[in-house]
């Protein structure tokens, strides 16, 4: 009985802890740098601010949690499930690479350094891969925990819409903008990026919960 009751916690403790560390680190670095404009400045630039190391730490933590998730999904007989795991690993590797290669300081859009180019391309590849994984893994995750179907669908839709919006804003900024602004903010690219991160991190957390619950039921049957 003891083994069965503690199995669910053991199954999700590590990835949930990593996601929590990532969220807390990003919240902290945002709070410690009030001089940055959260509406128009991407979080990547915060690496040059106070306690900037918290940003790559956050990305490393969530990337590691995503690797754990992809591994625990296991083999899936459906083609969509296999492709979804690949897309999830692309997301994980993308944000891990983005963590290692820092972005340039604020305002350096026109002449990016090599590190900025690697960071930006890796990050956007990750942003594109996560909603792809979410769509492909929808049936697999819903089958593992049907009660999360609606929440997973909502976060998948939010990830898709916000990622498309982020692409539009980034192209605008890099093409001589910014012009897609509101009121006193010259661009909303920072705000849109934060929506993307919230949707993506939320989806990863729900996926971990779904996989963990399935693992726990399997252990309970064996016990």
């Amino acid at each position: 009985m003891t083994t069965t009751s503690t199995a669910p916690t053991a199954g999700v403790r590590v990835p949930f802890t990593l996601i929590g560390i990532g969220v807390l680190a990003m919240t902290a670095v945002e709070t410690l740098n009030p001089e940055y404009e959260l509406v128009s400045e991407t979080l990547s630039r915060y690496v040059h601010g106070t306690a900037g190391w918290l940003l790559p730490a956050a990305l490393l933590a969530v990337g590691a949690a995503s690797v754990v998730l992809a591994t625990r999904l296991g083999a899936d007989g459906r083609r969509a499930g296999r492709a979804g795991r690949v897309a999830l690993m692309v997301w994980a590797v993308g944000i891990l690479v983005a963590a290692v290669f820092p972005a340039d300081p604020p305002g350096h859009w026109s002449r990016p350094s090599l590190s900025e180019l690697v960071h930006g391309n890796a990050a956007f590849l990750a942003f594109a891969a996560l909603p792809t994984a979410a769509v492909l893994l929808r049936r697999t995750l819903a089958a593992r925990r049907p009660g999360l179907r609606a929440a997973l669908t909502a976060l998948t839709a939010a990830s898709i819409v916000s990622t498309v919006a982020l692409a539009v804003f980034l192209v605008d900024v890099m093409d001589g903008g910014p012009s897609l602004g509101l009121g006193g903010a010259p661009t909303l690219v920072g705000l849109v990026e934060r929506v993307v991160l919230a949707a993506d991190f939320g989806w990863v957390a729900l996926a971990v919960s779904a996989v963990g619950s399935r693992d726990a039921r399997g252990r309970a049957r064996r016990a």
Side-chain angles (χ1 to χ4, degrees):
M1 293 296 293
T2 302
T3 302
T4 300
S5 62
T6 57
T9 302
V12 300
R13 182 185 295 123
V14 171
F16 270 161
T17 299
L18 289 168
I19 295 169
I21 289 172
V23 173
L24 287 174
M26 284 196 169
T27 302
V29 77
E30 186 96 69
T31 304
L32 292 169
N33 291 277
E35 70 275 14
Y36 290 108
E37 177 54 64
L38 65 86
V39 173
S40 58
E41 196 62 70
T42 61
L43 265 170
S44 299
R45 313 295 178 176
Y46 283 54
V47 71
H48 298 281
T50 302
W53 59 271
L54 286 170
L55 180 63
L59 295 177
L60 289 172
V62 176
S66 301
V67 171
V68 173
L69 171 61
T71 301
R72 290 185 177 172
L73 277 169
D76 192 307
R78 290 188 294 267
R79 182 177 300 176
R82 295 194 298 270
R85 288 184 68 208
V86 171
L88 185 59
M89 285 302 299
V90 172
W91 148 263
V93 172
I95 60 175
L96 289 172
V97 172
V100 174
F101 292 87
D104 288 343
H108 289 232
W109 290 103
S110 59
R111 293 185 178 180
S113 67
L114 177 60
S115 181
E116 165 73 17
L117 289 172
V118 174
H119 173 90
N121 284 296
F124 199 76
L125 182 62
F127 287 149
L130 194 283
T132 302
V135 171
L136 293 173
L137 292 171
R138 180 177 60 87
R139 291 186 178 180
T140 297
L141 294 172
R144 290 173 180 250
R145 192 164 180 183
L148 292 178
R149 184 190 302 271
L152 286 166
T153 299
L155 284 176
T156 298
S159 179
I160 293 171
V161 172
S162 57
T163 298
V164 172
L166 179 61
V168 172
F169 277 94
L170 285 174
V171 169
D172 175 69
V173 170
M174 292 183 291
D175 193 38
S179 60
L180 299 174
L182 181 66
T187 177
L188 305 181
V189 65
L191 179 61
V192 175
E193 184 200 44
R194 286 160 176 77
V195 174
V196 173
L197 289 170
D200 291 353
F201 286 12
W203 183 90
V204 173
L206 282 181
V208 167
S209 180
V211 172
S213 64
R214 177 61 174 268
D215 290 345
R217 289 197 296 271
R219 293 188 187 99
R221 286 195 296 268
R222 289 195 294 273

